[in-house]
Amino acid sequence: MTPTQRHHVVLVSPEGEPKGTAEKLEAHQQGWLHSAFSLMLYRLNQDGEREFLLQRRADSKYHSGGLWTNTCCSHPEKDEPVAAAAKRRLYEELGIARPLDFAMGPAFIYRAELDNGLVEHEWDQVIACEVNHVEMILNPDEVSDCRWWSEQDIQAALADSPEQFTAWFSQVFAHICAMTPTHAMA
């Protein structure tokens, strides 16, 4: 879906209070603060260590194409609850339709200059969800690849080649790690 096909984004105050709407592309061209969410699915492997489902954005995306990022991220529409928006986009991007139990984490504000002269300036609601197994049907207009990464592999990749990730990913990952359980230490 191109940005002109997508509806409007919700402009917000620094406290996350709605202030109106704007066309999505214009909001990114102007760098206006708007509501977003970043969802991460994770699982515990047989050793009780966390693994995270990351997606590689389709090359055709209007920004950050070909980069790795959290499982799903997007924008709620006007009057749409964030959890409903997350479920909608999880289905639209990855074909995941099963009921999931979302844990709402913190929201944070970030601003990043992107390719194509665009600016991400988002009040980003972090969402985590533990799953054992999910069936996926990737939407090639949205996602070019999807795979499980260990926490250690993500940390190493962020240290060695952060350019392979979206501008917001490292902050989302830090928040997700702080809010999700890890194995018990012996």
Side-chain angles (χ1 to χ4, degrees), residues 134-146:
V134 290
E135 296 289 330
M136 294 177 280
I137 302 171
L138 304 184
N139 177 345
D141 292 334
E142 298 285 345
V143 180
S144 65
D145 194 9
C146 204

Side-chain angles (χ1 to χ4, degrees), residues 54-58 66-69 142-146 164:
L54 303 189
Q55 69 155 275
R56 178 177 271 162
R57 292 167 60 90
L67 299 180
W68 286 100
T69 197
E142 298 285 345
V143 180
S144 65
D145 194 9
C146 204
Q164 70 178 309

Side-chain angles (χ1 to χ4, degrees), residues 152-163:
Q152 296 76 19
D153 287 345
I154 293 172
Q155 290 169 341
L158 283 169
D160 295 341
S161 53
E163 69 280 355

Side-chain angles (χ1 to χ4, degrees), residues 5-50:
Q5 292 173 309
R6 176 49 67 211
H7 302 301
H8 291 73
V9 295
V10 178
L11 302 177
V12 295
S13 71
E15 295 76 33
E17 296 299 321
K19 294 174 50 177
T21 61
E23 197 280 318
K24 182 179 173 181
L25 182 58
E26 183 180 13
H28 287 106
Q29 289 169 329
Q30 299 299 322
W32 293 330
L33 182 63
H34 58 278
S35 180
F37 65 85
S38 292
L39 167 67
M40 184 87 81
L41 299 184
Y42 71 96
R43 65 184 182 191
L44 300 178
N45 66 20
Q46 64 273 13
D47 297 322
E49 297 168 339
R50 295 179 290 202

